[in-house]
């Protein structure tokens, strides 16, 4: 981390007597635009070919990235019109994945998606299914810090 960056998300800071302050300021605004209420178009390994209508959109880089995303697994890539910028996730960061409509949470060095929970159905195993569903929910709520 540079002295001229914020501690958590490494947003660039202006320096005293810095020339072209607008470049640093604009970079910080672009990062904030991607971070605040983060939404990812999808989780993919291959960089899409975005156009002008994709400026500001984010993608979660998958576990086995290719091309210019190699070495950036788990980061959020955002398109600024002239190229890609990358955000390294920090503990507790959240982002919505549009295709699933679910929020993911970065915890213990990886992204966690909400667990799939099977609805209990009528029959002899309802009690077991209901207990499994409740246990899964409680574990997930604890992991994301909703309950202790």
């Amino acid at each position: 981390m540079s002295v001229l960056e914020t501690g958590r998300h490494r947003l660039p800071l202006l320096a005293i007597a810095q020339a072209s302050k607008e470049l640093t300021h604009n970079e910080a605004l672009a990062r904030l635009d991607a971070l605040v209420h983060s939404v990812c178009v999808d989780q993919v390994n291959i960089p899409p070919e975005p156009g002008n209508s994709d400026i500001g959109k984010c993608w979660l880089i998958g576990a086995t990235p290719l091309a210019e995303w190699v070495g950036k697994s788990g980061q959020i890539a955002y398109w600024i019109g002239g190229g890609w910028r990358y955000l390294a996730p920090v503990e507790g960061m959240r982002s919505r994945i549009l295709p699933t409509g679910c929020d993911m949470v970065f915890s213990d060095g990886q992204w966690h998606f909400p667990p799939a929970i099977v609805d209990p159905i009528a029959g002899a195993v309802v009690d077991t299914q209901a207990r499994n569903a409740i246990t899964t929910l409680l574990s997930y709520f604890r992991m994301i810090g909703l309950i202790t």
Side-chain angles (χ1 to χ4, degrees):
M1 181 179 88
S2 154
V3 176
L4 296 176
E5 293 178 331
T6 63
R8 186 161 184 234
H9 288 296
R10 300 182 62 199
L11 300 173
L13 297 171
L14 298 174
I16 296 172
Q18 174 182 334
S20 302
K21 286 180 174 34
E22 67 278 0
L23 298 176
T24 301
H25 180 72
N26 290 344
E27 178 65 23
L29 289 177
R31 287 188 194 182
L32 282 172
D33 190 42
L35 284 167
V36 177
H37 301 292
S38 178
V39 175
C40 291
V41 172
D42 205 350
Q43 180 180 19
V44 294
N45 289 307
I46 301 170
E49 295 184 25
N52 286 337
S53 64
D54 294 314
I55 293 173
K57 291 183 180 176
C58 300
W59 284 262
L60 175 61
I61 300 174
T64 55
L66 301 172
E68 60 210 281
W69 286 2
V70 168
K72 301 196 179 309
S73 176
Q75 293 186 26
I76 293 178
Y78 63 103
W79 181 249
I80 62 161
W84 293 103
R85 296 288 192 274
Y86 305 97
L87 299 169
V90 297
E91 187 70 20
M93 188 173 171
R94 298 172 189 262
S95 188
R96 177 159 294 232
I97 297 288
L98 287 178
T100 66
C102 294
D103 289 351
M104 56 188 180
V105 178
F106 191 79
S107 178
D108 298 323
Q110 63 183 349
W111 287 104
H112 296 273
F113 291 85
I117 299 173
V118 178
D119 291 338
I121 55 175
V125 294
V126 170
D127 188 54
T128 302
Q129 291 174 338
R131 287 177 191 273
N132 287 340
I134 291 168
T135 300
T136 302
L137 281 170
L138 291 173
S139 295
Y140 181 70
F141 290 158
R142 285 185 185 105
M143 191 271 303
I144 65 170
L146 195 58
I147 61 173
T148 59

